[in-house]
Amino acid sequence: MLRSLVRGDIHPSDLQTEEELEEELPEDYFETVCKATEEGDLGVFSITAPDGAEYLYFKPLMSHSYARILAVKDNAEALVCDQIRENSRIYPRPVPSQMFLEAPFDFDVPTLECLLQSIGRKEENKDIKFTQTSSGTIFLYSDK
C-alpha cells in the first residue's frame, strides 16, 4: 500500500479512516496477523519475558540477544540472570561481572553488588554460580 501511495497509484483520500478500518477488522485481527507472520519467514520473531509478556521484534533490524535484553530491561535481576544463563547455554562460558557495568546494562558498582547478593539468596537462582580469579575478577555462570 505504501508503495502504491508513493507511486501515485492510489490517493490518500481513497484510503479508509482508522475508525472505518477498526469497524471492519475482527477483534482477533492483530493476533491472527502476528501468528501468520511468525509462521512465515518474514523476519518477525517473538520473545516471552520471564513475567509472561510477549514482545515482537524484526530480526533484520535487531539481534535476538538484544531483543532478550529489552524484554527484561525493567527487571534488573531477571536481566542479569537471563544473560548469565544465555551465555552458559549458548557458548558455554562464564560472564565477567564487569560486563554489567558497561552498555547496554550500565549498572553502577553498588547496584551490581546488591543485585548479585540478591540473586545468590534466591532459590530459583541456585543455578547461578560465582567464581573468582586469583586477580579478583568475578565470573558468573549457570550450571543448568
Side-chain angles (χ1 to χ4, degrees), residues 28-40:
D28 65 342
Y29 179 76
F30 180 75
E31 289 80 14
T32 303
V33 169
C34 287
K35 186 172 190 279
T37 302
E38 288 173 16
E39 290 172 357

PDB file of all heavy atoms in Angstrom, residues 28-40:
ATOM      1  N   ASP A  28      -9.802 -10.345  16.816  1.00  0.00           N
ATOM      2  CA  ASP A  28      -8.543 -11.078  16.915  1.00  0.00           C
ATOM      3  C   ASP A  28      -7.616 -10.831  15.722  1.00  0.00           C
ATOM      4  O   ASP A  28      -6.694 -11.585  15.466  1.00  0.00           O
ATOM      5  CB  ASP A  28      -8.799 -12.567  17.072  1.00  0.00           C
ATOM      6  CG  ASP A  28      -9.473 -13.173  15.841  1.00  0.00           C
ATOM      7  OD1 ASP A  28     -10.043 -12.417  15.014  1.00  0.00           O
ATOM      8  OD2 ASP A  28      -9.417 -14.408  15.710  1.00  0.00           O
ATOM      9  N   TYR A  29      -7.832  -9.731  15.004  1.00  0.00           N
ATOM     10  CA  TYR A  29      -7.055  -9.444  13.798  1.00  0.00           C
ATOM     11  C   TYR A  29      -5.560  -9.358  14.091  1.00  0.00           C
ATOM     12  O   TYR A  29      -4.743  -9.974  13.407  1.00  0.00           O
ATOM     13  CB  TYR A  29      -7.537  -8.133  13.159  1.00  0.00           C
ATOM     14  CG  TYR A  29      -6.765  -7.758  11.907  1.00  0.00           C
ATOM     15  CD1 TYR A  29      -7.005  -8.408  10.699  1.00  0.00           C
ATOM     16  CD2 TYR A  29      -5.777  -6.777  11.937  1.00  0.00           C
ATOM     17  CE1 TYR A  29      -6.304  -8.078   9.559  1.00  0.00           C
ATOM     18  CE2 TYR A  29      -5.064  -6.440  10.807  1.00  0.00           C
ATOM     19  CZ  TYR A  29      -5.341  -7.094   9.614  1.00  0.00           C
ATOM     20  OH  TYR A  29      -4.622  -6.780   8.490  1.00  0.00           O
ATOM     21  N   PHE A  30      -5.175  -8.599  15.113  1.00  0.00           N
ATOM     22  CA  PHE A  30      -3.760  -8.422  15.433  1.00  0.00           C
ATOM     23  C   PHE A  30      -3.112  -9.766  15.754  1.00  0.00           C
ATOM     24  O   PHE A  30      -2.035 -10.081  15.247  1.00  0.00           O
ATOM     25  CB  PHE A  30      -3.578  -7.446  16.602  1.00  0.00           C
ATOM     26  CG  PHE A  30      -2.143  -7.235  16.978  1.00  0.00           C
ATOM     27  CD1 PHE A  30      -1.315  -6.456  16.185  1.00  0.00           C
ATOM     28  CD2 PHE A  30      -1.612  -7.818  18.117  1.00  0.00           C
ATOM     29  CE1 PHE A  30       0.016  -6.264  16.516  1.00  0.00           C
ATOM     30  CE2 PHE A  30      -0.284  -7.629  18.453  1.00  0.00           C
ATOM     31  CZ  PHE A  30       0.535  -6.849  17.656  1.00  0.00           C
ATOM     32  N   GLU A  31      -3.765 -10.569  16.593  1.00  0.00           N
ATOM     33  CA  GLU A  31      -3.224 -11.873  16.958  1.00  0.00           C
ATOM     34  C   GLU A  31      -3.106 -12.776  15.730  1.00  0.00           C
ATOM     35  O   GLU A  31      -2.122 -13.497  15.568  1.00  0.00           O
ATOM     36  CB  GLU A  31      -4.096 -12.542  18.021  1.00  0.00           C
ATOM     37  CG  GLU A  31      -3.998 -11.896  19.386  1.00  0.00           C
ATOM     38  CD  GLU A  31      -4.842 -10.636  19.515  1.00  0.00           C
ATOM     39  OE1 GLU A  31      -5.711 -10.370  18.654  1.00  0.00           O
ATOM     40  OE2 GLU A  31      -4.603  -9.879  20.479  1.00  0.00           O
ATOM     41  N   THR A  32      -4.080 -12.717  14.844  1.00  0.00           N
ATOM     42  CA  THR A  32      -4.066 -13.531  13.631  1.00  0.00           C
ATOM     43  C   THR A  32      -2.905 -13.127  12.720  1.00  0.00           C
ATOM     44  O   THR A  32      -2.182 -13.979  12.201  1.00  0.00           O
ATOM     45  CB  THR A  32      -5.405 -13.389  12.865  1.00  0.00           C
ATOM     46  OG1 THR A  32      -6.470 -13.771  13.740  1.00  0.00           O
ATOM     47  CG2 THR A  32      -5.425 -14.250  11.625  1.00  0.00           C
ATOM     48  N   VAL A  33      -2.711 -11.825  12.539  1.00  0.00           N
ATOM     49  CA  VAL A  33      -1.620 -11.339  11.695  1.00  0.00           C
ATOM     50  C   VAL A  33      -0.277 -11.720  12.306  1.00  0.00           C
ATOM     51  O   VAL A  33       0.626 -12.191  11.603  1.00  0.00           O
ATOM     52  CB  VAL A  33      -1.714  -9.805  11.491  1.00  0.00           C
ATOM     53  CG1 VAL A  33      -0.457  -9.259  10.846  1.00  0.00           C
ATOM     54  CG2 VAL A  33      -2.936  -9.465  10.661  1.00  0.00           C
ATOM     55  N   CYS A  34      -0.138 -11.554  13.617  1.00  0.00           N
ATOM     56  CA  CYS A  34       1.124 -11.905  14.278  1.00  0.00           C
ATOM     57  C   CYS A  34       1.425 -13.389  14.134  1.00  0.00           C
ATOM     58  O   CYS A  34       2.558 -13.777  13.835  1.00  0.00           O
ATOM     59  CB  CYS A  34       1.084 -11.527  15.755  1.00  0.00           C
ATOM     60  SG  CYS A  34       1.191  -9.754  16.028  1.00  0.00           S
ATOM     61  N   LYS A  35       0.426 -14.222  14.318  1.00  0.00           N
ATOM     62  CA  LYS A  35       0.626 -15.670  14.192  1.00  0.00           C
ATOM     63  C   LYS A  35       1.032 -16.030  12.771  1.00  0.00           C
ATOM     64  O   LYS A  35       1.961 -16.812  12.554  1.00  0.00           O
ATOM     65  CB  LYS A  35      -0.650 -16.412  14.588  1.00  0.00           C
ATOM     66  CG  LYS A  35      -0.488 -17.912  14.636  1.00  0.00           C
ATOM     67  CD  LYS A  35      -1.742 -18.543  15.215  1.00  0.00           C
ATOM     68  CE  LYS A  35      -1.541 -19.998  15.494  1.00  0.00           C
ATOM     69  NZ  LYS A  35      -1.661 -20.888  14.437  1.00  0.00           N
ATOM     70  N   ALA A  36       0.362 -15.456  11.791  1.00  0.00           N
ATOM     71  CA  ALA A  36       0.684 -15.733  10.392  1.00  0.00           C
ATOM     72  C   ALA A  36       2.094 -15.252  10.055  1.00  0.00           C
ATOM     73  O   ALA A  36       2.840 -15.922   9.335  1.00  0.00           O
ATOM     74  CB  ALA A  36      -0.333 -15.064   9.471  1.00  0.00           C
ATOM     75  N   THR A  37       2.483 -14.116  10.606  1.00  0.00           N
ATOM     76  CA  THR A  37       3.815 -13.572  10.361  1.00  0.00           C
ATOM     77  C   THR A  37       4.878 -14.479  10.961  1.00  0.00           C
ATOM     78  O   THR A  37       5.890 -14.771  10.332  1.00  0.00           O
ATOM     79  CB  THR A  37       3.932 -12.155  10.957  1.00  0.00           C
ATOM     80  OG1 THR A  37       2.937 -11.329  10.375  1.00  0.00           O
ATOM     81  CG2 THR A  37       5.296 -11.559  10.694  1.00  0.00           C
ATOM     82  N   GLU A  38       4.639 -14.943  12.195  1.00  0.00           N
ATOM     83  CA  GLU A  38       5.608 -15.812  12.852  1.00  0.00           C
ATOM     84  C   GLU A  38       5.742 -17.143  12.125  1.00  0.00           C
ATOM     85  O   GLU A  38       6.813 -17.741  12.102  1.00  0.00           O
ATOM     86  CB  GLU A  38       5.215 -16.044  14.300  1.00  0.00           C
ATOM     87  CG  GLU A  38       5.415 -14.813  15.164  1.00  0.00           C
ATOM     88  CD  GLU A  38       4.871 -14.990  16.566  1.00  0.00           C
ATOM     89  OE1 GLU A  38       4.605 -16.141  16.970  1.00  0.00           O
ATOM     90  OE2 GLU A  38       4.714 -13.978  17.258  1.00  0.00           O
ATOM     91  N   GLU A  39       4.661 -17.633  11.532  1.00  0.00           N
ATOM     92  CA  GLU A  39       4.700 -18.910  10.824  1.00  0.00           C
ATOM     93  C   GLU A  39       5.426 -18.798   9.487  1.00  0.00           C
ATOM     94  O   GLU A  39       5.970 -19.771   8.999  1.00  0.00           O
ATOM     95  CB  GLU A  39       3.283 -19.446  10.619  1.00  0.00           C
ATOM     96  CG  GLU A  39       2.648 -19.906  11.915  1.00  0.00           C
ATOM     97  CD  GLU A  39       1.187 -20.254  11.774  1.00  0.00           C
ATOM     98  OE1 GLU A  39       0.624 -20.097  10.669  1.00  0.00           O
ATOM     99  OE2 GLU A  39       0.598 -20.693  12.772  1.00  0.00           O
ATOM    100  N   GLY A  40       5.435 -17.601   8.921  1.00  0.00           N
ATOM    101  CA  GLY A  40       6.142 -17.385   7.667  1.00  0.00           C
ATOM    102  C   GLY A  40       7.582 -16.995   7.934  1.00  0.00           C
ATOM    103  O   GLY A  40       8.008 -16.846   9.074  1.00  0.00           O
TER     104      GLY A  40
END
